[in-house]
Amino acid sequence: MGILYGMVARGQVVLAEFSATQTNASVVARLILEKMKEVKNNCISSFSHHPYIFHVKGTDGLTVLCMADDASGRIIPFAFLEDIHKKFVKTFGRAVHSASAYAMNDEFSRVLCQQIDHFSRNPNVDRLDRLKGEMNQSVLIDNIEKALERGDRLALLVEKAITMQQPMQGNNSTVALKRKARIWWRDCKFTATLMLLFLLTIVYVSLAFVCNGLFLSSCFNHMTMASVVPHMF
Protein backbone atom coordinates (compact mmCIF):
# COMPACT_ATOMS: atom_id res chain seq x y z
CA MET A 1 0.00 0.00 0.00
CA GLY A 2 2.88 2.39 0.68
CA ILE A 3 2.19 5.91 1.97
CA LEU A 4 -1.49 6.61 2.68
CA TYR A 5 -1.62 10.03 4.33
CA GLY A 6 0.39 13.25 4.42
CA MET A 7 0.20 16.46 6.47
CA VAL A 8 2.10 19.73 6.81
CA ALA A 9 1.66 21.75 10.01
CA ARG A 10 3.13 24.68 11.92
CA GLY A 11 2.95 23.71 15.54
CA GLN A 12 -0.63 22.64 16.12
CA VAL A 13 -1.88 24.49 13.01
CA VAL A 14 -2.51 22.16 10.08
CA LEU A 15 -1.69 23.96 6.83
CA ALA A 16 -2.38 21.14 4.34
CA GLU A 17 -3.20 17.44 4.38
CA PHE A 18 -4.29 14.66 2.08
CA SER A 19 -5.48 11.11 2.67
CA ALA A 20 -5.43 8.44 -0.03
CA THR A 21 -7.91 6.28 1.87
CA GLN A 22 -10.53 6.53 4.60
CA THR A 23 -8.80 6.05 7.96
CA ASN A 24 -8.53 7.82 11.30
CA ALA A 25 -5.10 9.13 10.26
CA SER A 26 -6.11 12.77 10.66
CA VAL A 27 -7.19 12.21 14.28
CA VAL A 28 -4.02 10.30 15.19
CA ALA A 29 -1.86 12.90 13.40
CA ARG A 30 -3.28 15.70 15.56
CA LEU A 31 -2.65 13.69 18.71
CA ILE A 32 0.95 13.20 17.58
CA LEU A 33 1.30 16.95 16.92
CA GLU A 34 0.13 17.53 20.49
CA LYS A 35 2.70 15.03 21.75
CA MET A 36 5.47 16.51 19.61
CA LYS A 37 5.04 20.07 20.87
CA GLU A 38 7.35 19.26 23.79
CA VAL A 39 10.06 17.89 21.48
CA LYS A 40 12.91 20.02 20.16
CA ASN A 41 12.32 21.86 16.91
CA ASN A 42 14.43 19.76 14.50
CA CYS A 43 13.65 16.08 14.95
CA ILE A 44 12.65 12.91 13.17
CA SER A 45 10.40 10.34 14.84
CA SER A 46 8.26 7.34 14.07
CA PHE A 47 5.16 6.27 15.99
CA SER A 48 3.69 2.80 15.67
CA HIS A 49 -0.08 2.52 15.58
CA HIS A 50 -0.91 -0.97 14.34
CA PRO A 51 -1.07 -1.71 11.46
CA TYR A 52 0.46 1.61 10.37
CA ILE A 53 3.52 3.70 11.17
CA PHE A 54 3.35 7.49 11.50
CA HIS A 55 6.60 9.24 10.51
CA VAL A 56 7.33 12.83 11.55
CA LYS A 57 10.01 15.32 10.50
CA GLY A 58 10.25 18.70 12.19
CA THR A 59 12.42 21.39 10.61
CA ASP A 60 12.55 25.16 11.23
CA GLY A 61 9.09 25.37 12.78
CA LEU A 62 7.38 23.14 10.22
CA THR A 63 6.24 19.59 10.89
CA VAL A 64 5.74 17.18 8.00
CA LEU A 65 3.97 13.92 8.81
CA CYS A 66 2.89 10.85 6.89
CA MET A 67 1.25 7.50 7.59
CA ALA A 68 2.52 4.39 5.83
CA ASP A 69 2.19 0.65 6.17
CA ASP A 70 4.93 -1.18 8.02
CA ALA A 71 6.17 -2.77 4.78
CA SER A 72 7.33 0.65 3.57
CA GLY A 73 10.08 0.66 6.18
CA ARG A 74 11.55 3.97 7.35
CA ILE A 75 13.62 5.20 4.44
CA ILE A 76 10.88 5.71 1.84
CA PRO A 77 8.55 7.64 4.19
CA PHE A 78 11.35 9.96 5.37
CA ALA A 79 12.46 10.58 1.80
CA PHE A 80 8.84 11.56 1.13
CA LEU A 81 8.83 13.91 4.14
CA GLU A 82 12.05 15.61 3.04
CA ASP A 83 10.67 16.08 -0.46
CA ILE A 84 7.37 17.51 0.82
CA HIS A 85 9.16 19.91 3.18
CA LYS A 86 11.32 21.30 0.39
CA LYS A 87 8.40 21.67 -2.01
CA PHE A 88 6.23 23.34 0.64
CA VAL A 89 8.86 25.91 1.64
CA LYS A 90 9.77 26.59 -1.99
CA THR A 91 6.11 27.11 -2.92
CA PHE A 92 5.00 29.32 -0.04
CA GLY A 93 8.17 30.86 1.35
CA ARG A 94 7.79 33.00 4.49
CA ALA A 95 4.01 32.75 4.35
CA VAL A 96 4.24 29.38 6.09
CA HIS A 97 5.16 31.13 9.36
CA SER A 98 1.97 33.18 9.58
CA ALA A 99 -0.64 31.33 7.50
CA SER A 100 -3.93 30.31 9.10
CA ALA A 101 -5.18 26.74 9.33
CA TYR A 102 -5.62 25.04 5.93
CA ALA A 103 -4.54 28.21 4.10
CA MET A 104 -2.43 26.11 1.69
CA ASN A 105 -4.68 23.07 1.55
CA ASP A 106 -6.43 23.77 -1.77
CA GLU A 107 -3.15 24.14 -3.63
CA PHE A 108 -0.83 21.79 -1.76
CA SER A 109 -3.17 18.85 -1.15
CA ARG A 110 -2.74 18.08 -4.88
CA VAL A 111 1.03 18.03 -4.41
CA LEU A 112 0.65 15.69 -1.46
CA CYS A 113 -1.55 13.41 -3.56
CA GLN A 114 0.98 13.33 -6.40
CA GLN A 115 3.96 12.70 -4.15
CA ILE A 116 2.19 10.02 -2.14
CA ASP A 117 1.55 8.18 -5.38
CA HIS A 118 5.11 8.78 -6.62
CA PHE A 119 6.86 7.54 -3.46
CA SER A 120 4.50 4.61 -3.10
CA ARG A 121 5.16 3.45 -6.66
CA ASN A 122 8.55 4.80 -7.77
CA PRO A 123 10.71 6.23 -4.96
CA ASN A 124 14.01 7.95 -5.72
CA VAL A 125 16.62 5.27 -4.97
CA ASP A 126 19.55 7.73 -4.83
CA ARG A 127 17.84 9.83 -2.22
CA LEU A 128 16.95 6.75 -0.21
CA ASP A 129 20.58 5.63 -0.13
CA ARG A 130 21.66 9.08 1.00
CA LEU A 131 19.15 9.10 3.81
CA LYS A 132 19.70 5.54 4.97
CA GLY A 133 22.59 6.28 7.34
CA GLU A 134 20.81 9.25 8.87
CA MET A 135 17.64 7.28 9.49
CA ASN A 136 19.44 4.39 11.14
CA GLN A 137 21.11 6.76 13.59
CA SER A 138 18.37 9.27 14.31
CA VAL A 139 14.90 7.74 14.00
CA LEU A 140 13.11 7.42 17.33
CA ILE A 141 10.65 4.53 17.30
CA ASP A 142 8.00 5.32 19.86
CA ASN A 143 5.20 2.77 20.10
CA ILE A 144 1.97 4.59 20.91
CA GLU A 145 0.43 1.53 22.47
CA LYS A 146 3.30 1.41 25.00
CA ALA A 147 2.94 5.13 25.55
CA LEU A 148 -0.63 4.48 26.58
CA GLU A 149 0.55 2.00 29.20
CA ARG A 150 3.08 4.58 30.46
CA GLY A 151 0.30 7.03 31.11
CA ASP A 152 0.76 9.30 28.07
CA ARG A 153 -2.91 8.91 27.29
CA LEU A 154 -3.66 9.26 23.56
CA ALA A 155 -7.08 8.50 22.10
CA LEU A 156 -6.06 6.72 18.92
CA LEU A 157 -9.34 5.78 17.26
CA VAL A 158 -12.06 7.97 15.82
CA GLU A 159 -14.60 5.87 17.71
CA LYS A 160 -12.74 6.56 20.96
CA ALA A 161 -12.55 10.26 20.20
CA ILE A 162 -16.32 10.35 19.68
CA THR A 163 -17.53 7.97 22.38
CA MET A 164 -15.13 9.34 24.97
CA GLN A 165 -17.30 12.46 25.17
CA GLN A 166 -20.38 10.47 26.21
CA PRO A 167 -18.90 8.92 29.39
CA MET A 168 -17.48 12.32 30.27
CA GLN A 169 -20.95 13.83 29.98
CA GLY A 170 -22.32 10.99 32.14
CA ASN A 171 -19.63 11.55 34.74
CA ASN A 172 -20.33 15.28 34.76
CA SER A 173 -24.05 14.56 35.34
CA THR A 174 -23.25 12.22 38.23
CA VAL A 175 -20.98 14.79 39.84
CA ALA A 176 -23.64 17.46 39.42
CA LEU A 177 -26.28 15.23 41.05
CA LYS A 178 -24.01 14.46 43.99
CA ARG A 179 -23.28 18.14 44.43
CA LYS A 180 -26.98 18.98 44.38
CA ALA A 181 -27.66 16.21 46.93
CA ARG A 182 -25.01 17.62 49.27
CA ILE A 183 -26.43 21.12 48.95
CA TRP A 184 -29.97 19.83 49.56
CA TRP A 185 -28.88 17.91 52.69
CA ARG A 186 -26.98 20.93 54.00
CA ASP A 187 -30.05 23.14 53.45
CA CYS A 188 -32.23 20.58 55.24
CA LYS A 189 -29.96 20.54 58.27
CA PHE A 190 -29.81 24.33 58.29
CA THR A 191 -33.63 24.58 58.07
CA ALA A 192 -34.09 22.01 60.84
CA THR A 193 -31.69 23.93 63.08
CA LEU A 194 -33.57 27.18 62.47
CA MET A 195 -36.91 25.52 63.25
CA LEU A 196 -35.54 24.06 66.50
CA LEU A 197 -34.17 27.44 67.56
CA PHE A 198 -37.49 29.06 66.68
CA LEU A 199 -39.44 26.52 68.78
CA LEU A 200 -37.04 26.95 71.71
CA THR A 201 -37.44 30.71 71.43
CA ILE A 202 -41.23 30.42 71.52
CA VAL A 203 -41.08 28.13 74.55
CA TYR A 204 -38.70 30.51 76.34
CA VAL A 205 -40.79 33.59 75.56
CA SER A 206 -43.92 31.80 76.77
CA LEU A 207 -42.22 30.77 80.01
CA ALA A 208 -40.85 34.28 80.50
CA PHE A 209 -44.37 35.69 80.12
CA VAL A 210 -45.87 33.19 82.54
CA CYS A 211 -43.00 33.42 85.03
CA ASN A 212 -42.95 37.23 85.10
CA GLY A 213 -39.44 37.85 83.83
CA LEU A 214 -36.63 36.89 81.58
CA PHE A 215 -34.96 34.93 84.38
CA LEU A 216 -38.14 32.95 85.13
CA SER A 217 -37.76 33.91 88.81
CA SER A 218 -41.39 33.40 89.88
CA CYS A 219 -41.47 29.91 88.42
CA PHE A 220 -38.22 29.02 90.14
CA ASN A 221 -39.58 30.44 93.41
CA HIS A 222 -42.73 28.34 93.13
CA MET A 223 -40.63 25.28 92.42
CA THR A 224 -38.42 26.02 95.44
CA MET A 225 -41.40 26.54 97.72
CA ALA A 226 -43.04 23.38 96.46
CA SER A 227 -39.93 21.40 97.32
CA VAL A 228 -39.58 23.01 100.82
CA VAL A 229 -43.22 22.68 102.01
CA PRO A 230 -43.24 18.83 102.29
CA HIS A 231 -40.19 18.98 104.55
CA MET A 232 -42.03 21.26 106.98
CA PHE A 233 -44.50 18.52 107.75
Side-chain angles (χ1 to χ4, degrees):
M1 290 185 290
I3 299 172
L4 302 172
Y5 171 81
M7 169 196 281
V8 182
R10 184 188 68 249
Q12 306 298 299
V13 180
V14 177
L15 301 175
E17 66 178 338
F18 176 81
S19 181
T21 184
Q22 281 192 325
T23 66
N24 63 337
S26 182
V27 174
V28 178
R30 282 160 176 77
L31 293 170
I32 292 175
L33 288 180
E34 178 68 21
K35 182 179 178 68
M36 293 293 292
K37 69 181 181 182
E38 299 177 359
V39 180
K40 61 184 180 180
N41 188 35
N42 296 329
C43 64
I44 50 178
S45 301
S46 291
F47 296 86
S48 172
H49 175 45
H50 185 76
Y52 304 111
I53 308 292
F54 285 80
H55 306 278
V56 188
K57 187 176 190 295
T59 307
D60 299 330
L62 279 181
T63 301
V64 188
L65 178 150
C66 71
M67 182 187 79
D69 58 10
D70 194 33
S72 299
R74 304 288 184 268
I75 307 304
I76 292 174
F78 277 103
F80 166 80
L81 295 180
E82 184 192 32
D83 181 76
I84 290 298
H85 179 269
K86 288 182 177 180
K87 282 181 167 56
F88 194 81
V89 172
K90 183 178 180 180
T91 302
F92 301 107
R94 293 183 179 180
V96 302
H97 299 295
S98 58
S100 58
Y102 290 99
M104 289 83 173
N105 194 62
D106 287 344
E107 180 176 351
F108 204 75
S109 60
R110 293 192 291 270
V111 177
L112 286 170
C113 175
Q114 293 169 0
Q115 296 309 104
I116 284 174
D117 182 70
H118 170 72
F119 277 86
S120 296
R121 296 175 182 272
N122 183 32
N124 188 320
V125 177
D126 293 336
R127 179 174 296 170
L128 301 188
D129 290 338
R130 180 166 55 84
L131 287 174
K132 186 173 183 179
E134 178 186 354
M135 294 303 104
N136 289 337
Q137 294 296 323
S138 303
V139 175
L140 168 66
I141 306 300
D142 191 348
N143 190 297
I144 289 181
E145 305 299 338
K146 292 181 180 178
L148 288 172
E149 296 174 4
R150 279 202 309 268
D152 300 334
R153 301 295 299 176
L154 295 175
L156 297 179
L157 301 176
V158 174
E159 292 79 9
K160 285 185 181 179
I162 295 174
T163 58
M164 195 164 58
Q165 297 176 0
Q166 297 175 352
M168 289 176 62
Q169 292 173 354
N171 291 337
N172 291 337
S173 299
T174 301
V175 172
L177 288 174
K178 289 181 178 179
R179 184 168 60 248
K180 288 181 180 179
R182 287 196 299 267
I183 294 173
W184 177 84
W185 180 240
R186 184 187 62 191
D187 291 343
C188 286
K189 290 192 292 185
F190 181 72
T191 302
T193 302
L194 287 180
M195 292 179 65
L196 180 60
L197 290 174
F198 179 71
L199 290 174
L200 290 174
T201 302
I202 291 177
V203 171
Y204 175 75
V205 171
S206 301
L207 288 174
F209 180 77
V210 172
C211 298
N212 299 321
L214 296 176
F215 299 103
L216 312 178
S217 56
S218 62
C219 290
F220 282 120
N221 289 337
H222 284 299
M223 291 174 61
T224 303
M225 291 178 63
S227 61
V228 171
V229 169
H231 292 290
M232 294 176 64
F233 295 95

